[in-house]
């Protein structure tokens, strides 16, 4: 074993867990991934996260200075979130000195509450171009040394309801690269404008 990566919720980690993980850092690379999704408590409530942004902040603070690398998960396209909300999440994460980030697209999965809302016409998925531009906007606002571990998710074809384009991951990644090149832009270029 050369390393350990654990994905969990910020409200599921306490001091004994952190001490245990810290003990592994002397000999191994240790990452802990916390699901944030959004810095907006109203959004976290809508998706029934069961914790607020303050909980995430406190858990990240408790994890720091232990030799444990922290990765945050965020979701773009949450119900009722506009572009400005998503970029506020980017700016907040940028200030937290987190080591890595995974960016996800919200997609509709069969048998979920979101599917019901989607079928009722109360939720509209992001279009591919819209998502690509949001990811580029997000990247511009976060530190250049933050490790990008994911730029979009991997929906299971048999479970996916929408959007269909989310299955074309290679195409989406190529469009993100092309858009950054077209903008003559890169990760962290707007950090000075984001208060970071």
């Amino acid at each position: 074993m050369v390393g350990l990566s654990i994905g969990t919720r910020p409200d599921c980690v306490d001091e004994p867990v952190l001490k245990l993980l810290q003990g592994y850092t002397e000999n191994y690379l240790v990452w802990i991934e916390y699901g944030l999704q959004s810095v907006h408590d109203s959004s976290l409530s809508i998706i029934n996260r069961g914790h607020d942004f303050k909980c995430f902040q406190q858990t990240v603070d408790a994890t720091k200075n232990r030799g444990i690398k922290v990765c945050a998960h965020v979701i773009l396209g949450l119900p009722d979130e506009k572009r400005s909300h998503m970029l506020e999440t980017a700016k907040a994460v940028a200030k937290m000195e987190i080591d890595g980030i995974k960016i996800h697209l919200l997609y509709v999965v069969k048998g979920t509450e979101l599917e019901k809302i989607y079928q009722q016409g109360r939720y509209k998925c992001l279009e591919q171009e819209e998502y690509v531009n949001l990811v580029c906007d997000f990247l511009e606002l976060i530190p250049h040394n933050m490790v990008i571990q994911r730029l979009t998710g991997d929906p299971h074809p048999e479970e996916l309801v929408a959007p269909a384009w989310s299955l074309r991951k290679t195409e989406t990644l190529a469009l993100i690269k092309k858009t950054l090149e077209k903008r003559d832009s890169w990760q962290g270029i707007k950090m000075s404008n984001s208060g970071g």
Side-chain angles (χ1 to χ4, degrees), residues 7-32:
T8 187
R9 297 164 52 97
D11 54 334
C12 292
V13 175
D14 55 17
E15 184 61 22
V17 170
L18 291 173
K19 279 188 176 178
L20 175 66
L21 295 176
Q22 186 175 3
Y24 291 121
T25 62
E26 293 178 20
N27 300 306
Y28 306 105
L29 171 66
V30 179
W31 278 88
I32 189 160

Side-chain angles (χ1 to χ4, degrees), residues 8-118:
T8 187
R9 297 164 52 97
D11 54 334
C12 292
V13 175
D14 55 17
E15 184 61 22
V17 170
L18 291 173
K19 279 188 176 178
L20 175 66
L21 295 176
Q22 186 175 3
Y24 291 121
T25 62
E26 293 178 20
N27 300 306
Y28 306 105
L29 171 66
V30 179
W31 278 88
I32 189 160
E33 302 179 18
Y34 292 127
L36 167 61
Q37 319 318 348
S38 173
V39 299
H40 302 283
D41 288 341
S42 58
S43 297
L44 297 179
S45 178
I46 288 171
I47 62 172
N48 298 313
R49 274 303 290 175
H51 65 78
D52 58 12
F53 178 47
K54 184 177 180 182
C55 174
F56 176 85
Q57 291 174 301
Q58 290 171 337
T59 306
V60 168
D61 288 343
T63 308
K64 284 183 180 178
N65 304 314
R66 295 176 185 262
I68 302 169
K69 294 193 174 290
V70 176
C71 177
H73 288 234
V74 298
I75 296 177
L76 302 184
L78 291 171
D80 297 336
E81 283 207 355
K82 297 180 171 56
R83 178 180 177 275
S84 59
H85 293 104
M86 293 177 251
L87 298 188
E88 284 169 14
T89 293
K91 291 173 186 176
V93 168
K95 294 177 184 175
M96 295 183 71
E97 298 177 1
I98 290 172
D99 303 290
I101 192 163
K102 288 187 176 180
I103 303 172
H104 301 263
L105 162 70
L106 183 65
Y107 48 80
V108 183
V109 174
K110 291 177 184 175
T112 62
E113 286 299 313
L114 184 59
E115 182 188 15
K116 293 177 188 174
I117 295 168
Y118 174 77

